[in-house]
Amino acid sequence: MKRALDINQFLHGGDYNPEQWWDEPDVINQDFALFKQTKINTVTVGIFSWAKLEPQEGNYDFSWLDEIFDRVEEMNGHVILATPSGARPAWLAQKYPEVLRTDNRGNKRGFGGRHNHCLTSPIYRKKVYEINTKLAEHFGQRKSLVLWHISNEYSGECYCDLCKDAFRKWLKNKYGDLATLNHAWWNTFWSHTYNDWSQVNPPSPLSEMGNKGMNLDWKRFITDQTISFIDNETAPLKKITPNIPVTTNMMAGNPLMDPFAGFDYQKVARHLDFISWDSYPAWGNDSQTTEELGRNVGLIHDFFRSLKHQNFLVMENPPSRVNWHNFDRAKRPGMHELASLQDVAHGSQGVLYFQLRASRGSSEMFHGAVIEHRHPEKTRAFKDVTKVGKDLEKISPIVATNYAKAKVAIVFSYDSYWALQDAESYSVNKNIWQTIQKHYRYFYEHDIPVDFVSSEDDFSQYDLLIDPMHFLMSKSYLEKIDNYVKNGGKIVGTYISGVVDENDLAYMNEWPKELQEIYGLEPLETDVLYPGQSNLINFEGKEYPVHDYCETLINCTGKVLATYSTDFYQDTPAIVEHSYGAGKGYYLACRTDYSFLEKFYEKIASELVPEIPITKFNDRVSIQIRENKSEKYWFVQNFSDKEEKIELSCELVNLLEDVKDKGIVSLKPFESKVYTLSR
Amino acid sequence: MKRALDINQFLHGGDYNPEQWWDEPDVINQDFALFKQTKINTVTVGIFSWAKLEPQEGNYDFSWLDEIFDRVEEMNGHVILATPSGARPAWLAQKYPEVLRTDNRGNKRGFGGRHNHCLTSPIYRKKVYEINTKLAEHFGQRKSLVLWHISNEYSGECYCDLCKDAFRKWLKNKYGDLATLNHAWWNTFWSHTYNDWSQVNPPSPLSEMGNKGMNLDWKRFITDQTISFIDNETAPLKKITPNIPVTTNMMAGNPLMDPFAGFDYQKVARHLDFISWDSYPAWGNDSQTTEELGRNVGLIHDFFRSLKHQNFLVMENPPSRVNWHNFDRAKRPGMHELASLQDVAHGSQGVLYFQLRASRGSSEMFHGAVIEHRHPEKTRAFKDVTKVGKDLEKISPIVATNYAKAKVAIVFSYDSYWALQDAESYSVNKNIWQTIQKHYRYFYEHDIPVDFVSSEDDFSQYDLLIDPMHFLMSKSYLEKIDNYVKNGGKIVGTYISGVVDENDLAYMNEWPKELQEIYGLEPLETDVLYPGQSNLINFEGKEYPVHDYCETLINCTGKVLATYSTDFYQDTPAIVEHSYGAGKGYYLACRTDYSFLEKFYEKIASELVPEIPITKFNDRVSIQIRENKSEKYWFVQNFSDKEEKIELSCELVNLLEDVKDKGIVSLKPFESKVYTLSR
Amino acid sequence: MKRALDINQFLHGGDYNPEQWWDEPDVINQDFALFKQTKINTVTVGIFSWAKLEPQEGNYDFSWLDEIFDRVEEMNGHVILATPSGARPAWLAQKYPEVLRTDNRGNKRGFGGRHNHCLTSPIYRKKVYEINTKLAEHFGQRKSLVLWHISNEYSGECYCDLCKDAFRKWLKNKYGDLATLNHAWWNTFWSHTYNDWSQVNPPSPLSEMGNKGMNLDWKRFITDQTISFIDNETAPLKKITPNIPVTTNMMAGNPLMDPFAGFDYQKVARHLDFISWDSYPAWGNDSQTTEELGRNVGLIHDFFRSLKHQNFLVMENPPSRVNWHNFDRAKRPGMHELASLQDVAHGSQGVLYFQLRASRGSSEMFHGAVIEHRHPEKTRAFKDVTKVGKDLEKISPIVATNYAKAKVAIVFSYDSYWALQDAESYSVNKNIWQTIQKHYRYFYEHDIPVDFVSSEDDFSQYDLLIDPMHFLMSKSYLEKIDNYVKNGGKIVGTYISGVVDENDLAYMNEWPKELQEIYGLEPLETDVLYPGQSNLINFEGKEYPVHDYCETLINCTGKVLATYSTDFYQDTPAIVEHSYGAGKGYYLACRTDYSFLEKFYEKIASELVPEIPITKFNDRVSIQIRENKSEKYWFVQNFSDKEEKIELSCELVNLLEDVKDKGIVSLKPFESKVYTLSR
Ligand SMILES: [Zn+2]
Ligand SMILES: [Zn+2]
Ligand SMILES: [Zn+2]
């Protein structure tokens, strides 16, 4: 990999906007003094600086940013330099209105906000190309420059005429002729057959929202259009600074901690050198325990790490509270350290904050910051950040490791996710991500490393694939899993899978042959339960509740592990194991609670539990592994607000406290320990 | 009646879209083979086929539909032929944008969806007239053609300039001059007096939503505009195929099972030959028992049957689940047969499905179908449909009967419903339909046939009229009920009645004379209770709770049946009986629960219970009667999921099982029996 | 004060729209007969009469209104004459579309509704000026004319080009140059720096909603634009009728009873001679007791009275129910008298109704009225109104008194309220007004008169200032309270105060010096609790719950009155008392329940309890005081639906019953007594 992130210490720092204070040099001086105190070694700059970098068209002023580079280099720090496309100057929007978005009802945006450029506008792409070129030329040789941060939290859609035309071109390129498109979108339905390309438009509440093929292709188009925007951004950077890797900061949803789904991160990842994401869990809320939320955060770390199957960065992290949750609670004592070390435990190469200094005005002025408005050095956040800074120094050798190699992977396909979310059927909330979280739980609680894979990935390294609610399956995916199982892989599939093909058209006549071979059965009917209704399944002599979805099966040739206990499908198969070639398929025909999944995975996956010299006594403690050829490191973290114990089977080095531990060891509430065999 | 539905067997079949599969002849072949298996004898075709029937303007291709007619005739089946106006081809919308709707904020729709044509556009009317003419000319002599199905689920409004002009013309025609309109709409209020017709516009959130007269006239205009659209559709059909009756499929709301109220079905019915409606109850939900929901469905059947006081058709019915409820639960075993026979019990001349074959893509692909995507002949739906097919054959003689003649009718007036819904007063949810359902319950549970009547209908055949929450009463209606009661009729009126005249203007000075004469009282004040508040009434020595509305009365000359138990109107009349001429008026001044209504109707309506040779032991069993001059048929249906018993007072023929029953008979959960005296 | 309301009896009457009945003289005759019966002496006319006053452009017809004046004068009554700008004739809107509003998405309104004129349109201002001139010229010398009622319930915003230009001019005038505006709005954030005035636009969901400075300036601009609209309305009135005072009817929210906040009533009040407001509490609801709601109503009376620190009028009051609450409950017996006398008790110079006669049609036809549609003289409302008419005559001398002078004031700043509501931080509902209500409770329950003051008011008359959640504090305000406390005042401040300056920019480095001096501490961190979370504070040996907000404090030099009981700030200061100069500052760092506030104010404010010759035994009885140089009057009101007792310490004159009372006296449910020492 040519453009890897080349660092020999963990990055510690984050988003910094000195341009907001350029007329107050004392503030800048204070900032750098405080950076030193808090062991901050990295600043991310330029994200929203376009108006300061190019105050009038063609009139660039980089001198202020030069000074920041100078100061960072004086302290031997690192700079992550952003391209400024996330927001544009007022003059640009005013002179070239085409750069602003149009919504799906045809309303044209005015200037304001951010992240609202047209994805297609040639002028905007040209302007972005130009300023990126200037930035790369000017700062590309700076020794402190470690990473390009292009734009900010890419997202959203545009429905302007330029984008509509681009969509039509994209469709022509994909389908060749209208007859093929008409068939793929099943346009005979409701007389929607097109006979001219000009009749094709994006989905809109004022025209068409129910055409499944159109909706799916629009998401794919938005993905590709975002990619081509990214490629335009990165072209000058790759040319001028061939050794500096490129990232962009990705997002997850709150409070569910599910990946942003406005476009396909798995595809976009292939156009980036390095993955980073912005992590904003609602720590300390009143509806989840910290260990539950911690598990969901561990999962989404694993998701982002898996996008390129390599280390990543948490690019944004609140040093204390955020300013946009329903209740902006301050992190409890210990929580910041716990969350920061969890980042690293799952593969982050540092801990970066939004924001280093709080803005004095406007919409994010009350977002938590390392340096708050008043008495910055006295805040808990400041002290917590300092503690993390010290921790990162103590575990510095770990920067040269990777997250432990996983033998189990969960399949996540954006195409399938979009298609199932859009499917008018089953129930209003299909809870796809919640289902993934439930399956993940077993592995997390048993300290088993988990990868996420897209349907395009290579599965050969995995012993076990978990493939829940995989609604849309392409022919090539079917062949791939067929081979995977035939050659010895194990796969777990569930209800509502293999229903439609890559065009979102139903598979006809029978379930895809490959699925029949793998699972040794065919689903016939999906019984949808109201929230107030449930069934039970009988597994190894015990009953487990099931909710929401119960499929009935036909042609079942496998071993029935569990049957339904009630209703008209009483005593028919609910959970089936089937041998195929050298591998096995497990089919879960109904939505079970975790109580069943725990027993089920214990049965089929207990051999995946890693051998480590540490024993924990309950699920409130998480153990994650980073390793390289020579060393293994165990991050042992107590997500409970009570003291917990672990037992070491041999003496281990406790890096954070610089001592050696053995036998029974106590972890204080929210405490972490990082162990290795020897120094 | 010239254009009656002329059939000698129950129709069994439904919506069929072979145009979606025209390039796959095997599919069509399979369809017809499966139709035979399931005893399907009817297909409804052409509903959304315009793009296939007229792929380019003026270029018609009916050959594919000829082939379908041929196939149907080979199996001696029936065709219900739809006119295609429910959705139009892309070329038509593109070439003539005026055919598409404009919403009440002035947003013009683009092509897409369905049911969204301008109600006024001369071009659209011309195009519809043309294709209807072609269809009638081409298919009108087909022996299999039994019914025209015009358009699909008419609904919605358009606010384009053409429609605005039409509204102004309609108003000019109604009021003659602006002064009259200004008075009827009470335009002095808020200085809304018009002095030029061009100032008049339809209701809009961007101008005026609070003018009651305007809102009511707009609904009436939409009704009339829909009627003139329908008349334009039917003109060529009536001319070319004078013997083929015309219907359109009407709708009811979910989950309430109330009639669609976008326009006045009672008025529209006069322009149709035959009534049909689409029935989608949420069978098996978690907030109602099946007997409760069954009662609401029975009611709405009775409503649609009453539109023309003759048999009707359930035009759409899901063979299994739907795809648009919040939870698309599959019908439990027995439910489909129960619901289908309930259709017939209440007067349907068949059982028709949406859809015969599931679409492969787009928004309705997962709607339940007789022929599903995979293993169609193995689904429960397929078997359930086959069972119903056999049932319909067994009860075939009943096709020549009508629903039993009712002696009780519930008054429903669209004008009044709209006006009361729109009235800014009382409470946010007035629950008019729920009130009707509560009154209906007594009659349903006692197997008493019930009609619904509009305020324009003739009441002379009824012994008892139930007239709840009749807010708007025209002068002519007042005279009619005055005569009705004077001549011996009984009427039950309630709170919030007779408040406004046909212009939605308050009756002044006193309650309309006719109401005073009938009920022997005047309501003075309506006390509105919050949901957390209640009162009681004392009726025959027992107390019954009342909620929501309590009126105080003056000038009460009748017999007080119940008084209020508490509050400042304690001991004042709440329920009053009053003799007038040869009849009686009963006034319910407050909203009671069913516990009171049951006792009340027991007192005044028990003589209406029909004499039948079957005794049931609880309300979970429903008995409906169809009859002709020579025979009576009793549909006995168990809506409970438990076994129930009935007792026969003589030996009866059990048509479905082809045996004779006597004495105590058991009905399995959801089981139906159809009895007659002799074969 | 030149233009005081010059009356020698309480006004009793209200909104009257005879123009709606001008073709029915009997109705008008009946009205005046009923006015006499109900002791109505005042009509408010002309509010929505523009179309009747100027039926065509320039064609005025005041004859009908002359007749009304004549009739009122025949009965020696009073007229409150409205200017008609609240709604305009259709011809005006049609001919000059610029007079109608544009919303913040750019949608232009059509004619209809009311209160929807552009705030800027020169044409509308000219038309209003003209008709106001005509009205003043025509009716200005009428002896019955006591008050001008300009327009109706001013509210709302306009985003048309005229308003946008006016906003830009307002900003230019305020800031002088763009650099200053850019700094005040912190526009470096997200590259929002303007370099041309034409780039500046009002807030809009299609451009910018998150710029705090912009949002705040927009509210201030709307205030000033409304004021200049008002000044244009009043200019001809003040010139032609220099002795007739001018008011406009203000509003409060339901169900919270908080002041309308669309613009700044405190600033607007300076442009009016007299305050009036429209009072619509949800009496008799099912979620509050009447004493709770009565307290909230007492508070908002005090708020409006404080706008000019003089008597006021309740301009609208429902004689019975309203027609726009979720449940339009009729007032319980006694409630109308109780509420009416409460108006007067808090300083109203009369009791005026919306509406005298119910409209026959349109949106307010079912709003309660003195004269209802049917049997007007028999309604409870009619009798209740008559009783109030008699009461007002009995207490007539009180018209010459003022509300008792307050020694305690609650600070309310619109700027601060807007800024904190708009602050993206803390929690979704900040409950500012609820917090004010909680503090007010102590004083209300202890019969201590309370004023409300703006940050611009003079505080020197007050012993105690309550200043809760004062988020935005200007420099001048800080200096003022510094002086106030230094010179002996007591002040109570709370969490989330002094956070930003007048530009909504954070105070930097430390809390404002003045606040440090007053409170002897600095807040460091605001811990935000989820609704399911709480803490406790320990005050004088007892624990009290706290919710929502807990600040941690530093540099605390005062006397710690209470400390936190749990969490990481356990045992740190929560409530602090601090002496400064001759005065004291009390700081409440957390949101307590009333249980604490009661004890707290008992400690610091019990000396403010007024000495009165009446003892009450619980909080369900309210005592309010009106007085002049020679007399004191006590309004003793029982807000409970049970009988309550009071004890008189000497014999007092009971004005309503025209007797003398002494010793223990009973008040029936909802009963009021008005006492004075001697006649
Ligand atoms: Zn675009
Ligand atoms: Zn139209
Ligand atoms: Zn304007």
Side-chain angles (χ1 to χ4, degrees), chain A residues 19-21 23-24 30 48-52 55-56 87-91 94 103 107-114 116 282-286 320-333 357 359-367 372-376 378-380, chain C residues 105 107 183 185-186 188-196 198-199 204-213 423-429 471 497-501 504-512 516 522-533 554-555 567-569:
Chain A
E19 69 271 32
Q20 293 178 11
W21 310 90
D23 53 354
E24 301 185 55
Q30 189 194 24
F48 293 115
S49 310
W50 197 334
K52 182 79 177 167
Q56 279 129 11
R88 61 225 59 81
W91 60 255
Q94 187 179 36
D103 71 19
N107 296 305
K108 176 82 186 169
R109 276 193 61 87
F111 174 69
R114 53 172 188 162
N116 44 43
W283 297 116
N285 70 60
D286 62 349
S320 49
R321 72 195 175 281
V322 302
N323 76 325
W324 52 273
H325 288 172
N326 284 349
F327 301 90
D328 296 322
R329 196 169 200 211
K331 283 181 181 167
R332 319 319 295 157
R357 174 176 278 278
S359 167
R360 201 182 159 196
S362 215
S363 67
E364 297 186 327
M365 63 190 287
F366 294 114
H367 194 291
E372 291 277 6
H373 298 132
R374 301 195 316 252
H375 298 294
K378 292 190 179 164
T379 65
R380 285 195 307 126
Chain C
R105 303 181 73 90
N107 297 306
H183 186 272
W185 289 8
W186 206 250
T188 332
F189 185 80
W190 289 356
S191 269
H192 284 187
T193 309
Y194 300 119
N195 39 24
D196 192 287
S198 64
Q199 292 158 359
S204 160
L206 288 172
S207 53
E208 179 64 60
M209 294 293 275
N211 187 316
K212 305 299 151 187
E424 295 172 51
S425 190
Y426 311 113
S427 39
V428 274
N429 295 313
F471 174 71
S497 288
V499 179
V500 299
D501 68 14
D504 214 343
L505 294 178
Y507 279 113
M508 295 299 292
N509 301 317
E510 53 184 345
W511 213 28
Q516 294 185 49
E522 289 191 69
L524 184 65
E525 185 183 0
T526 306
D527 190 25
V528 174
L529 279 59
Y530 279 78
Q533 301 169 338
I554 56 172
N555 303 332
D567 217 327
F568 64 87
Y569 35 91

Side-chain angles (χ1 to χ4, degrees), chain C residues 478-522:
Chain C
L478 287 164
E479 284 163 22
K480 191 193 293 188
I481 54 170
D482 189 87
N483 278 320
Y484 168 77
V485 180
K486 210 184 303 180
N487 292 319
K490 286 198 275 190
I491 191 167
V492 176
T494 76
Y495 50 92
I496 310 186
S497 288
V499 179
V500 299
D501 68 14
E502 51 268 53
N503 289 324
D504 214 343
L505 294 178
Y507 279 113
M508 295 299 292
N509 301 317
E510 53 184 345
W511 213 28
K513 273 280 176 243
E514 296 84 351
L515 296 175
Q516 294 185 49
E517 288 172 354
I518 292 168
Y519 295 112
L521 53 80
E522 289 191 69

Side-chain angles (χ1 to χ4, degrees), chain A residues 198 206-208 509 522 567, chain B residues 94 109-110 113 332 373 375:
Chain A
S198 64
L206 289 172
S207 53
E208 179 64 60
N509 301 318
E522 288 191 69
D567 218 327
Chain B
Q94 187 179 37
R109 278 194 59 87
R332 318 320 295 158
H373 299 132
H375 296 294

Side-chain angles (χ1 to χ4, degrees), chain C residues 575-598:
Chain C
I575 312 290
V576 179
E577 173 185 324
H578 181 250
S579 295
Y580 174 53
K584 274 190 179 168
Y586 297 90
Y587 192 76
L588 280 49
C590 52
R591 180 174 278 172
T592 69
D593 289 352
Y594 180 67
S595 60
F596 167 77
L597 288 179
E598 186 175 24

